[in-house]
Amino acid sequence: MSQLAIEVNEITKMFGNFTAVDKVSFGVKQGEIFGFLGANGAGKSTTIRMLIGLLEPTSGQAKVGGYDVKTQTDLLKKNIGYMSQKFSLYEDMTVEENIHFYGGVYGLSKEKVKERKKWVLEMAGLQGRDKSLTKTLSGGWKQRLALGCAILHEPKILFLDEPTSGVDPVSRRNFWDLINELSSQGVTILVTTHYLDEAEYCNNIILINAGRLIAQGSPKELKTEHITFPILEVETDNVVTALELLRTQPWVVEISVFGTYLHVGVSELDLGKNAIRLTLATKGIQIQRIEQIVPSLEDVFLHLLEQDMKKVAA
Amino acid sequence: MKTIYHIIVKEFIQFRRDKRMMALSFMAPILQLILLGYAATTDVKDVPMAVYNQDKSVASRELIDQFVHSGYFIIQKDVNSLDEIDHEIEFGNVWMALVIPPDFSSNLLARKTASIQILTDGSDANSANISLGYASQIINTYSGSIIADIQKRVPLVTRPAQLQPEVRVWYNPDLKSRNFMVPGVLATVLMIITMTLTSLGIVKEKEIGTLEQLMVTPIKPYQLIIGKLLPFAIIGMIDVVLVLIVTRFWFAVPLQGSVVLLFALSGLFIMTTLGLGLFISTISKTQQQAMMTAQFFIFLPFIYLSGFTFPVENMPQAIQYLTAIIPLKYFIVIIRGIFLKGTGIAELWPQALALWIFGIVILTLSVMRFKTKLS
């Protein structure tokens, strides 16, 4: 097993009586893209903030790049990069002034800042716009500039907290190309997101819910290990009524709406197909299409969240 | 050191870009000074008055002439009854009325005490007091001249013992309230500008999320605090220079004392205002909150209780104790002392010491609070 860049051991954060993060443990290998998934308020940001030295864990240990997040925060901060969904740039300063400032506070020499500035401008596609005020840039540019500023000091570990929220799809795509490139250069990346298509780019994923870790593995492992029943995609002219009808059937394991389709998990494939046809026919609902599909990450996570909710309720 | 330098450079770049803030910081003090310099004067002139002369003698007309020639009063109306006076005062046509009874001159001739009545509109207590002061001065002078007159005419009469007070005003010989107000304006403006800039500057970074980003960089809290506060201290000092120039050359308020001392003690005062600004930033989530907190919990009580508008000596004892914790109070004493009396550190050291202690305590507490809030 290769050396771990991030090692988290039963880390916990309490705010008063509220447990925001509950004994979460995981490991991130050097150079991998590690996805951190969960709903809003699940504890993603709190976990990241503990790993970058902004919040002190209530209990448990974590090491990032070999540095203890409780006792070695100074060394830790010099060796990591962090970018949040807010793209923390100074909007009233120019592109160049932002780069100079962040380069300066990371203690880079003048020559080094110059060299890295050239790199950032190229990476972000901002050549010739170095004298523009940051607030005049579009979301995608701001995002890439923020990333550039966060890695001016060439950290080996990078934390991205919902880096693509509020950015158009093309920019999101470009951004992930950059992430892949950094990863291929050996940078370890921990990224939180709630876009499940983005999770597919990750080497490994963890899913947390209500502060607890509920699953981890590669996207492929998650899809094959957790969903053991067939899933049928059903296209009908009345999704809402169909959902109501099928929900209560004993042979339906899980059901959820995906746009104009239904994804129905059934206990047995052929039996399920026939049962759906029959049930919907009694109410005169037409079925355009019904076929088995490979579960997407979304199916997996909805399944896992539902299981978790049942467990908590029990 | 390098890190602090980078933060300071950043602050000045942002300050230069924010045209409104820049105008506010450099124009507002001057505007405020000019406004208050002209408006905040407690001098009373041309008081409109009514006269009810029941005597119609030479003596009574002489007395009225004294009022007219003093320059403080204008005879707005001659009235013929007390009711009429009532009416004039009630409608605000006159602020004061002089009633001369019918036996005024006959009493004077009989060398008895002659009485006259002065009625004044007390709803503006301040102006009423001041104009009453002028009136009694005029009457005193007049009675003095009558005594002198009698002595001249009847030299045999034994000279009545009399004490003629000779009033001389020190420090502000023209008794111009402007000379008294304007240095105080310098103090309040300095407080408002430095405290506002500091608290807004920090809360703004909180709002846009850059503060969090800075905390992930190797910047240490003390570097961040110095880097953020020093630029505002410098801007505050530039304001002192600007306000001094306007005070000295526009209002011609004489600066009797040492400019160097004035700057040094302004520096001490700024320590307290920056500390309070930092403190406000730790208890506010938004810039609006910071502004409101500063206005209601700092600016207003400080201005009212510092002696800037109302003399501390006239306040109830309990409130006087309370004013001891108001740094602006000490700085007002200092700045008026240096401006008007040319007082030096030999006399001002208690105030300077108080500011120094306040500065250290407020800054230390705010820095500690800021640090714990960050983590």
mmCIF file of all heavy atoms in Angstrom, chain A residues 35-49:
data_model
loop_
_atom_site.group_PDB
_atom_site.id
_atom_site.type_symbol
_atom_site.label_atom_id
_atom_site.label_comp_id
_atom_site.label_asym_id
_atom_site.label_seq_id
_atom_site.Cartn_x
_atom_site.Cartn_y
_atom_site.Cartn_z
ATOM 1 N N GLY A 35 -13.131 11.955 -3.518
ATOM 2 C CA GLY A 35 -14.405 12.674 -3.481
ATOM 3 C C GLY A 35 -15.074 12.557 -2.130
ATOM 4 O O GLY A 35 -15.050 11.515 -1.492
ATOM 5 N N PHE A 36 -15.666 13.661 -1.743
ATOM 6 C CA PHE A 36 -16.269 13.736 -0.427
ATOM 7 C C PHE A 36 -17.712 14.152 -0.657
ATOM 8 O O PHE A 36 -17.979 15.288 -1.031
ATOM 9 C CB PHE A 36 -15.490 14.783 0.353
ATOM 10 C CG PHE A 36 -15.545 14.625 1.832
ATOM 11 C CD1 PHE A 36 -15.607 13.383 2.416
ATOM 12 C CD2 PHE A 36 -15.498 15.739 2.644
ATOM 13 C CE1 PHE A 36 -15.638 13.253 3.789
ATOM 14 C CE2 PHE A 36 -15.524 15.619 4.017
ATOM 15 C CZ PHE A 36 -15.601 14.377 4.596
ATOM 16 N N LEU A 37 -18.637 13.212 -0.503
ATOM 17 C CA LEU A 37 -20.012 13.499 -0.880
ATOM 18 C C LEU A 37 -20.963 13.505 0.297
ATOM 19 O O LEU A 37 -20.742 12.799 1.282
ATOM 20 C CB LEU A 37 -20.508 12.467 -1.905
ATOM 21 C CG LEU A 37 -20.004 12.727 -3.316
ATOM 22 C CD1 LEU A 37 -18.705 12.016 -3.550
ATOM 23 C CD2 LEU A 37 -21.042 12.295 -4.313
ATOM 24 N N GLY A 38 -22.021 14.256 0.144
ATOM 25 C CA GLY A 38 -23.033 14.322 1.191
ATOM 26 C C GLY A 38 -23.930 15.501 0.919
ATOM 27 O O GLY A 38 -23.571 16.402 0.170
ATOM 28 N N ALA A 39 -25.113 15.466 1.536
ATOM 29 C CA ALA A 39 -26.049 16.574 1.346
ATOM 30 C C ALA A 39 -25.504 17.818 2.039
ATOM 31 O O ALA A 39 -24.521 17.746 2.777
ATOM 32 C CB ALA A 39 -27.401 16.193 1.925
ATOM 33 N N ASN A 40 -26.145 18.951 1.792
ATOM 34 C CA ASN A 40 -25.770 20.166 2.517
ATOM 35 C C ASN A 40 -25.987 19.941 3.997
ATOM 36 O O ASN A 40 -27.009 19.394 4.400
ATOM 37 C CB ASN A 40 -26.621 21.351 2.062
ATOM 38 C CG ASN A 40 -26.181 21.847 0.701
ATOM 39 O OD1 ASN A 40 -25.034 21.661 0.303
ATOM 40 N ND2 ASN A 40 -27.109 22.453 -0.006
ATOM 41 N N GLY A 41 -25.012 20.343 4.797
ATOM 42 C CA GLY A 41 -25.160 20.182 6.242
ATOM 43 C C GLY A 41 -24.811 18.798 6.746
ATOM 44 O O GLY A 41 -25.011 18.490 7.912
ATOM 45 N N ALA A 42 -24.283 17.944 5.857
ATOM 46 C CA ALA A 42 -23.942 16.584 6.281
ATOM 47 C C ALA A 42 -22.650 16.547 7.074
ATOM 48 O O ALA A 42 -22.363 15.578 7.765
ATOM 49 C CB ALA A 42 -23.832 15.674 5.062
ATOM 50 N N GLY A 43 -21.864 17.631 7.003
ATOM 51 C CA GLY A 43 -20.610 17.662 7.750
ATOM 52 C C GLY A 43 -19.360 17.690 6.876
ATOM 53 O O GLY A 43 -18.255 17.581 7.381
ATOM 54 N N LYS A 44 -19.570 17.877 5.559
ATOM 55 C CA LYS A 44 -18.412 17.906 4.649
ATOM 56 C C LYS A 44 -17.473 19.064 4.967
ATOM 57 O O LYS A 44 -16.269 18.877 5.171
ATOM 58 C CB LYS A 44 -18.894 18.077 3.190
ATOM 59 C CG LYS A 44 -19.557 16.867 2.608
ATOM 60 C CD LYS A 44 -20.085 17.193 1.215
ATOM 61 C CE LYS A 44 -21.055 18.337 1.284
ATOM 62 N NZ LYS A 44 -21.869 18.589 0.155
ATOM 63 N N SER A 45 -18.044 20.274 4.979
ATOM 64 C CA SER A 45 -17.206 21.459 5.198
ATOM 65 C C SER A 45 -16.546 21.427 6.575
ATOM 66 O O SER A 45 -15.384 21.795 6.706
ATOM 67 C CB SER A 45 -18.032 22.729 5.049
ATOM 68 O OG SER A 45 -18.406 22.874 3.698
ATOM 69 N N THR A 46 -17.292 20.972 7.568
ATOM 70 C CA THR A 46 -16.713 20.907 8.914
ATOM 71 C C THR A 46 -15.500 19.981 8.924
ATOM 72 O O THR A 46 -14.468 20.303 9.516
ATOM 73 C CB THR A 46 -17.775 20.401 9.915
ATOM 74 O OG1 THR A 46 -18.944 21.186 9.762
ATOM 75 C CG2 THR A 46 -17.279 20.508 11.338
ATOM 76 N N THR A 47 -15.619 18.839 8.243
ATOM 77 C CA THR A 47 -14.487 17.910 8.187
ATOM 78 C C THR A 47 -13.287 18.568 7.499
ATOM 79 O O THR A 47 -12.163 18.525 8.008
ATOM 80 C CB THR A 47 -14.889 16.634 7.427
ATOM 81 O OG1 THR A 47 -16.094 16.129 7.982
ATOM 82 C CG2 THR A 47 -13.800 15.586 7.515
ATOM 83 N N ILE A 48 -13.542 19.192 6.348
ATOM 84 C CA ILE A 48 -12.447 19.855 5.636
ATOM 85 C C ILE A 48 -11.802 20.920 6.508
ATOM 86 O O ILE A 48 -10.578 21.011 6.594
ATOM 87 C CB ILE A 48 -12.961 20.509 4.322
ATOM 88 C CG1 ILE A 48 -13.171 19.428 3.266
ATOM 89 C CG2 ILE A 48 -11.976 21.544 3.823
ATOM 90 C CD1 ILE A 48 -12.925 19.867 1.869
ATOM 91 N N ARG A 49 -12.636 21.694 7.197
ATOM 92 C CA ARG A 49 -12.091 22.778 8.018
ATOM 93 C C ARG A 49 -11.219 22.237 9.147
ATOM 94 O O ARG A 49 -10.287 22.906 9.599
ATOM 95 C CB ARG A 49 -13.212 23.658 8.558
ATOM 96 C CG ARG A 49 -13.874 24.486 7.446
ATOM 97 C CD ARG A 49 -15.226 25.016 7.853
ATOM 98 N NE ARG A 49 -15.097 26.000 8.911
ATOM 99 C CZ ARG A 49 -14.845 27.282 8.690
ATOM 100 N NH1 ARG A 49 -14.713 27.710 7.454
ATOM 101 N NH2 ARG A 49 -14.725 28.124 9.672
#
